[in-house]
Amino acid sequence: MTKTIAKKEFTEIIRDGRFRWIAGVLLLMLLVAVSLGYQQSQEIKSDREAAANMDKQTWEAQGNKNPHSAAHFGHYAFKPVTALSYVDRGLNQYLGVAIWLEAHYQNLSSHRPIEDKTALQRFGELTVAWTLQYLMPLLIILLAFASFAGERERGTLRQIVSLGVPGRKLAFGKALGVVAALALVLIPATLIAAVLLAGLKTGESFSEAALRFITLAGSYLLYFAAILGLSLAVSAKVKSSRVALLTLIGFWIISSLLAPRLASDLAERLYPSPVVSEFWEAISKDIREGIDGHNPSDERRKQLEAKLLAQYNVKELKDLPVNFAGIALQEGEEYGNQVFDKHYSRLWALYEKQAGVQQLASTVSPLLAVRHVSMGLAGTDLHQHRHFAEQAEAHRRKIVKLLNDDMAQNAGNQDYDYLADPALWSKVPQFKYSPPSFALVFRHQFGNLLILGMWCAATAFAAVAAVGKMKVD
């Protein structure tokens, strides 16, 4: 009986010319979004690789220079393109694509693509994620809002119920019919996306990228199932298809348009982000006056002088077998690193709290949950940006230490007059980013996946319950 109901539902949907038009347009949008996303990600990948190679050549062509001057000269760590960024660009537009690595500063990321866009371009871009998150639910609502309410209005619901079909089978059959129609749109787009993924060459292994892709597809199926379950429940519960449509469109507006904005504003109000100038002023103060006002910079320098004079059993700095300026620079870096760790840890913790508020809001909006999962698996969320920023910072510290150590060992009493030759610059390794494993990403997104699963289970239960108690008149 379930198969018969599903077949009837599917046949009615396919015969409807409105479905063919809407599904055709949506499929075309998905294919265009996949194609454009893939093309843009390849162009961005090529641009960043070219910029990284140019940056490396510029670094190695410095000629003779003091190592500390070279540390200030610095160079960039470019954020690589992830395999699934062509599906969901996430926060990449807002977080910057590179970090400037130099002495004394743990810089924030820079060169945000959103800064180069026009007001119209900032309004929204056609991406696979946007199409799936915002437009596909509308198609599901249009397919399912009249499943029971329409049958009731046409007088056919009484005949179906009189056959003694259990509510669970009736709801399942209707859902299967809608799912079969949706598959006509989703399967071609998914297959093309999978083929493109197989041809991508990024820093991720194919197995890791495949696991992310499969999980991403599964999370969207949970999202669609939740919308479908809700649509069937409303259709069975209300008296007319018009009321069902208005109710579901109202839910879509609240869930997709209002809830994300309100959640973002609430998170910022509860855990306000620091003003950039105040953030850097607090770091400068801690470096200058010492963390929490203890051990200011001049005291630290005196302690270092006394320590080295005692260690090498000499009375003056010029008698040291090492260059004091080089050692003092590295000591300053080590202390600065403690200060950066303190302030950046607070900053990341603040962002985690904001993300927690948005995750809590996912309980009233499944779009928020699937959006976080989508960005996380695509490698375009805040977690992966932090992962990149921390590896870039570790690379910066390694480079600066290498340069300061060279000055300490080879400058003698020349201090800043000492010049290192280009052989030193070639010893500096190029930054290579290793993306987080699938297991780590999955762990970060487990809460959002759980919320999606709960939405799916709750709406399925609501649909079965509503159909079981459905009135035929």
Side-chain angles (χ1 to χ4, degrees):
M1 182 57 71
T2 301
K3 185 177 177 181
T4 304
I5 295 171
K7 186 176 179 181
K8 171 183 174 295
E9 191 73 15
F10 176 72
T11 304
E12 288 180 353
I13 291 173
I14 293 299
R15 286 177 177 172
D16 191 336
R18 291 169 297 182
F19 165 76
R20 293 198 294 271
W21 271 104
I22 295 173
V25 170
L26 197 55
L27 176 59
L28 181 62
M29 290 179 70
L30 273 174
L31 296 179
V32 170
V34 168
S35 176
L36 286 178
Y38 178 81
Q39 182 182 355
Q40 289 180 359
S41 69
Q42 290 302 291
E43 290 175 354
I44 293 171
K45 178 174 176 286
S46 299
D47 289 346
R48 291 185 191 173
E49 288 176 351
N53 289 332
M54 186 179 296
D55 188 67
K56 183 174 185 293
Q57 292 172 10
T58 304
W59 169 262
E60 293 181 348
Q62 293 183 84
N64 292 342
K65 183 182 282 186
N66 181 270
H68 190 60
S69 297
H72 276 292
F73 183 72
H75 61 128
Y76 278 106
F78 290 94
K79 188 176 181 180
V81 175
T82 56
L84 286 176
S85 60
Y86 76 95
V87 173
D88 192 339
R89 295 173 202 160
L91 300 177
N92 278 353
Q93 305 270 19
Y94 308 92
L95 294 176
V97 302
I99 297 179
W100 181 246
L101 309 178
E102 60 176 330
H104 307 317
Y105 294 102
Q106 180 178 346
N107 291 315
L108 296 166
S109 59
S110 58
H111 303 290
R112 298 171 177 83
I114 195 70
E115 295 170 349
D116 300 324
K117 296 190 179 296
T118 64
L120 183 62
Q121 288 174 319
R122 291 183 186 199
F123 180 73
E125 288 184 305
L126 178 62
T127 65
V128 177
W130 182 84
T131 308
L132 294 178
Q133 290 168 15
Y134 288 88
L135 299 187
M136 189 57 74
L138 280 177
L139 177 61
I140 294 171
I141 289 172
L142 291 175
L143 292 180
F145 80 94
S147 293
F148 296 107
E151 298 266 14
R152 186 184 293 113
E153 289 171 342
R154 293 192 297 271
T156 54
L157 184 60
R158 179 183 294 277
Q159 298 173 13
I160 297 174
V161 173
S162 67
L163 297 175
V165 182
R168 179 172 55 81
K169 287 189 175 181
L170 186 55
F172 191 56
K174 289 279 187 181
L176 275 182
V178 175
V179 168
L182 290 174
L184 298 176
V185 177
L186 292 174
I187 289 179
T190 304
L191 289 176
I192 291 175
V195 170
L196 291 177
L197 177 67
L200 280 173
K201 293 181 180 178
T202 63
E204 301 160 83
S205 69
F206 178 75
S207 59
E208 286 274 318
L211 280 173
R212 287 183 183 228
F213 183 82
I214 293 169
T215 309
L216 183 67
S219 65
Y220 273 109
L221 289 180
L222 284 176
Y223 176 53
F224 300 151
I227 301 297
L228 176 58
L230 181 68
S231 300
L232 292 176
V234 171
S235 183
K237 191 71 178 176
V238 301
K239 292 184 177 179
S240 70
S241 56
R242 177 176 297 179
V243 174
L245 181 60
L246 289 175
T247 302
L248 291 168
I249 292 295
F251 171 79
W252 179 84
I253 291 173
I254 293 171
S255 174
S256 304
L257 303 182
L258 297 181
R261 181 67 187 178
L262 291 174
S264 178
D265 289 348
L266 180 62
E268 180 63 30
R269 182 174 288 274
L270 292 174
Y271 304 105
S273 302
V275 177
V276 174
S277 59
E278 293 177 354
F279 177 74
W280 285 111
E281 176 55 32
I283 289 176
S284 299
K285 183 181 179 184
D286 272 1
I287 292 176
R288 185 175 61 252
E289 300 178 8
I291 296 176
D292 299 326
H294 299 292
N295 204 9
S297 58
D298 54 345
E299 290 294 329
R300 298 197 302 270
R301 184 180 178 87
K302 289 179 183 177
Q303 292 170 7
L304 179 63
E305 286 182 14
K307 176 186 170 185
L308 288 175
L309 292 175
Q311 180 180 344
Y312 290 101
N313 194 25
V314 296
K315 293 183 179 178
E316 296 185 43
L317 294 178
K318 65 182 178 60
D319 298 324
L320 287 172
V322 292
N323 178 262
F324 177 76
I327 293 177
L329 285 169
Q330 185 54 34
E331 283 290 312
E333 285 291 334
E334 299 288 348
Y335 194 83
N337 292 343
Q338 294 180 46
V339 175
F340 288 128
D341 288 344
K342 169 191 166 186
H343 288 274
Y344 272 89
S345 294
R346 288 180 178 175
L347 185 65
W348 291 122
L350 180 69
Y351 289 152
E352 289 291 338
K353 289 178 180 176
Q354 291 182 350
V357 172
Q358 297 209 26
Q359 188 178 65
L360 189 62
S362 300
T363 55
V364 296
S365 168
L367 177 134
L368 282 170
V370 79
R371 192 167 72 176
H372 284 104
V373 173
S374 180
M375 288 191 296
L377 292 167
T380 57
D381 66 341
L382 190 63
H383 286 298
Q384 183 136 335
H385 183 76
R386 178 181 180 177
H387 195 263
F388 159 73
E390 289 178 345
Q391 286 194 22
E393 173 59 12
H395 188 69
R396 182 190 76 85
R397 295 180 184 186
K398 183 189 298 182
I399 294 172
V400 172
K401 186 175 188 311
L402 186 151
L403 298 174
N404 285 337
D405 286 350
D406 179 83
M407 186 168 167
Q409 296 301 321
N410 302 314
N413 289 323
Q414 298 180 75
D415 291 343
Y416 296 99
D417 292 330
Y418 163 68
L419 301 178
D421 60 42
L424 178 60
W425 321 137
S426 62
K427 292 180 182 177
V428 173
Q430 193 168 11
F431 175 68
K432 290 184 180 177
Y433 173 64
S434 300
S437 66
F438 169 76
L440 181 60
V441 173
F442 186 84
R443 192 159 60 243
H444 276 142
Q445 297 302 328
F446 181 76
N448 291 313
L449 284 166
L450 186 62
I451 290 173
L452 273 178
M454 290 170 65
W455 262 100
C456 189
T459 55
F461 176 79
V464 172
V467 172
K469 298 177 182 177
M470 185 170 54
K471 295 179 180 178
V472 296
D473 297 322

